[in-house]
Amino acid sequence: MPKKKTSNVSIKRRSFLTNSVKASVIGAAAAGFPHIWMKQGNVFAANNEIKVGVLFSLTGGLAIIEESLHKATIMAIEEINAAGGVNGMKLKAIEADPASDPATFAAKARTLVLKEKCVTVFGSYTSASRKAVLPVFEKRNNLYFYPTLYEGRECSKNVIYTGAVPNQQQDDFIPYLVKTYGKRWSLIGSNYIYPKEENNYCKILLKKLGCEVLMEEYVPLGHSEFSSVVNKFKNDKPDVIFSTVVGDSVVALHKQYRAAGLNPDKMPMASLTTSENEVAAMGGDAAAGHLTSAPYFMVHQSAENEKFVSSYKKRWGSDKVTHFVSEPAYFGVYIFKQALERLGASGDITPPNIMEACKGQELIAPQGKIRIDPDNLHTYLWPKIGICKSDGQFDIIQKTDNWLKPLPYAAYPDQTCTEKGLVNA
Ligand code: ACM
């Protein structure tokens, strides 16, 4: 429990406050209830525990990926608690399974925030589910840690984004693919906001490089019948198939591509969403020769990654893999811990204060040193390009020599996400 939970609001503490929290405090004090501060702190940090929500699907079509995000998040919480907790308090994970359904995500998020009084929630893979929970966090000024690569074009002050945005996955990847394989491209994605925005950015880069888009097609989430799509690949013979298909559809697409006898050496699938996790589900033979761009691969060599991989296997099973979404799910919990430490044992543990304290945080993650951008709350990451092998792991064939700033509005040069919100030029 923080030692100093008194009604004396210090100048320093006050400077952290958002206007809405300030208003409630001033109102309560005026009404003769200055002890509201004590309640405010206790709501989120009672019984020597800080409650955090863990909101990942353990059932439904997205469980293939979200179960691993759940595991990485829980492991980080367990590690932090085993090392003594934060500011003398333990983290208590309140787990919820939203069953791969955006509406259930929103309902469970509301329960975690309103009933369970979680000070922060770690959750979700798809942008559809992030968009579904966003109003829950924005309306109550609560805080959400989102670990997944996504399309950008978001400037929320209630989300810490630890996954990649388009410039961090595509800026090196697209020119590499054009140079290595050619200029005739087919685009295949799942039918929702993430693939459409990601393809929007891809087409901007392709246009600059003088490329031709032969096909742009979207299939429903959970789609598993790719014969007509694969037939188009056969007929069109693109140089590159750019895939933003997600979830268990990734497995079906790769298997049906393979069954049709197509050759990844001549017509590779280049993906932003195919990780070691999906490859483990489809088998290395179906994925071999295809490429992925991501800031993290399991084979990355660093002392921090060695520890992450061995701890993960020890905790969850020697057959388990780590990947470019489970790694930011894992280090996101450590960013949260550092933010609490920055607030200090006597700090007020509230979502807006934690958000403020996340700004500019740095740590050595398994992928390398990362940093939370203080303006847009996204993360500086280390882009890499991997080619998949039949053993289910990737060969890293290109990597940046420095971290790359997140630009969530890279496709929209007239807009910038600043500390004050979205600014239009
Ligand atoms: C995603 O929906 N952000 C993969």
Side-chain angles (χ1 to χ4, degrees):
M1 192 72 173
K3 286 186 210 114
K4 207 170 77 177
K5 286 274 180 271
T6 71
S7 59
N8 297 325
V9 184
S10 73
I11 299 293
K12 186 161 159 259
R13 284 160 67 195
R14 199 182 291 160
S15 70
F16 273 121
L17 303 179
T18 63
N19 287 338
S20 62
V21 177
K22 263 183 199 167
S24 73
V25 171
I26 292 163
F33 299 107
H35 61 280
I36 188 80
W37 269 114
M38 194 163 170
K39 281 191 174 172
Q40 193 82 23
N42 286 345
V43 162
F44 296 116
N47 306 321
N48 246 11
E49 283 177 343
I50 299 170
K51 282 201 217 172
V52 293
V54 180
L55 183 65
F56 294 108
S57 303
L58 303 177
T59 54
L62 294 167
I64 180 178
I65 187 87
E66 293 205 16
E67 192 193 351
S68 63
L69 311 183
H70 173 97
K71 284 182 161 60
T73 306
I74 293 293
M75 186 174 95
I77 291 170
E78 288 175 354
E79 284 178 0
I80 289 166
N81 286 340
V86 194
N87 300 337
M89 289 181 284
K90 293 286 162 82
L91 301 182
K92 183 173 168 62
I94 310 294
E95 299 170 40
D97 173 11
S100 304
D101 170 49
T104 311
F105 263 96
K108 299 265 179 189
R110 266 193 297 278
T111 303
L112 291 171
V113 168
L114 294 177
K115 183 161 168 271
E116 297 289 355
K117 305 280 187 272
C118 293
V119 73
T120 289
V121 176
F122 298 89
S124 70
Y125 175 76
T126 69
S127 292
S129 51
R130 188 192 67 262
K131 291 284 187 199
V133 303
L134 209 52
V136 175
F137 294 90
E138 293 189 332
K139 189 170 169 192
R140 282 119 195 152
N141 214 2
N142 204 288
L143 189 58
Y144 195 58
F145 270 68
Y146 180 64
T148 313
L149 57 118
Y150 89 108
E151 66 281 2
R153 210 181 181 187
E154 208 167 272
C155 189
S156 176
K157 298 306 165 198
N158 298 90
V159 182
I160 303 293
Y161 304 82
T162 55
V165 283
N167 75 297
Q168 294 171 312
Q169 281 187 290
Q170 294 199 45
D171 280 4
D172 292 341
F173 196 32
I174 305 299
Y176 172 84
L177 292 164
V178 170
K179 196 167 125 214
T180 311
Y181 296 97
K183 293 190 170 184
R184 300 174 69 254
W185 284 50
S186 292
L187 277 45
I188 178 74
S190 297
N191 192 11
Y192 70 110
I193 187 171
Y194 161 71
K196 289 182 178 175
E197 286 288 340
E198 203 74 67
N199 280 342
N200 180 34
Y201 189 63
C202 176
K203 285 185 288 182
I204 291 171
L205 299 180
L206 290 179
K207 195 170 170 198
K208 281 186 193 157
L209 295 166
C211 297
E212 182 187 1
V213 175
L214 307 173
M215 173 193 122
E216 180 177 355
E217 206 163 301
Y218 297 94
V219 296
L221 277 167
H223 192 70
S224 60
E225 174 43 68
F226 283 94
S227 54
S228 69
V229 168
V230 169
N231 276 337
K232 280 190 192 153
F233 296 159
K234 260 185 165 171
N235 292 335
D236 292 351
K237 297 186 180 49
D239 297 323
V240 179
I241 299 164
F242 188 65
S243 171
T244 46
V245 167
V246 305
D248 43 14
S249 300
V250 176
V251 175
L253 173 62
H254 280 76
K255 283 188 167 171
Q256 288 165 42
Y257 172 108
R258 188 55 134 204
L262 300 178
N263 182 357
D265 293 341
K266 295 212 162 70
M267 191 199 298
M269 284 198 275
S271 173
L272 307 180
T273 50
T274 306
S275 75
E276 291 84 346
N277 197 65
E278 286 83 356
V279 174
M282 73 180 81
D285 280 344
H290 297 297
L291 297 103
T292 293
S293 169
Y296 171 88
F297 289 100
M298 188 171 170
V299 295
H300 176 66
Q301 294 198 333
S302 72
E304 291 74 22
N305 190 38
E306 218 167 278
K307 178 175 172 293
F308 174 51
V309 172
S310 68
S311 303
Y312 194 86
K313 284 177 173 285
K314 194 165 163 213
R315 176 65 179 88
W316 301 112
S318 57
D319 59 328
K320 296 290 186 284
V321 294
T322 57
H323 55 87
F324 60 82
V325 196
S326 64
E327 189 243 7
Y330 175 75
F331 75 66
V333 184
Y334 279 92
I335 291 286
F336 171 78
K337 171 182 181 271
Q338 288 184 189
L340 291 181
E341 286 168 346
R342 182 182 275 180
L343 288 177
S346 60
D348 286 300
I349 296 167
T350 65
N353 290 357
I354 296 169
M355 185 277 284
E356 281 293 333
C358 282
K359 291 181 177 176
Q361 286 286 353
E362 294 181 356
L363 60 76
I364 314 274
Q367 69 176 272
K369 186 173 176 182
I370 59 91
R371 174 171 192 258
I372 304 298
D373 187 290
D375 294 325
N376 62 38
L377 304 182
H378 291 64
T379 308
Y380 284 68
L381 299 169
W382 294 80
K384 301 171 180 72
I385 298 171
I387 187 159
C388 196
K389 300 182 298 174
S390 54
D391 67 359
Q393 291 294 325
F394 287 80
D395 261 342
I396 299 176
I397 52 178
Q398 188 172 302
K399 54 185 172 188
T400 48
D401 11 326
N402 212 337
W403 62 16
L404 191 62
K405 181 178 168 67
L407 299 173
Y409 285 80
Y412 300 89
D414 291 348
Q415 296 183 308
T416 316
C417 181
T418 71
E419 198 177 2
K420 291 190 169 55
L422 189 62
V423 170
N424 292 294

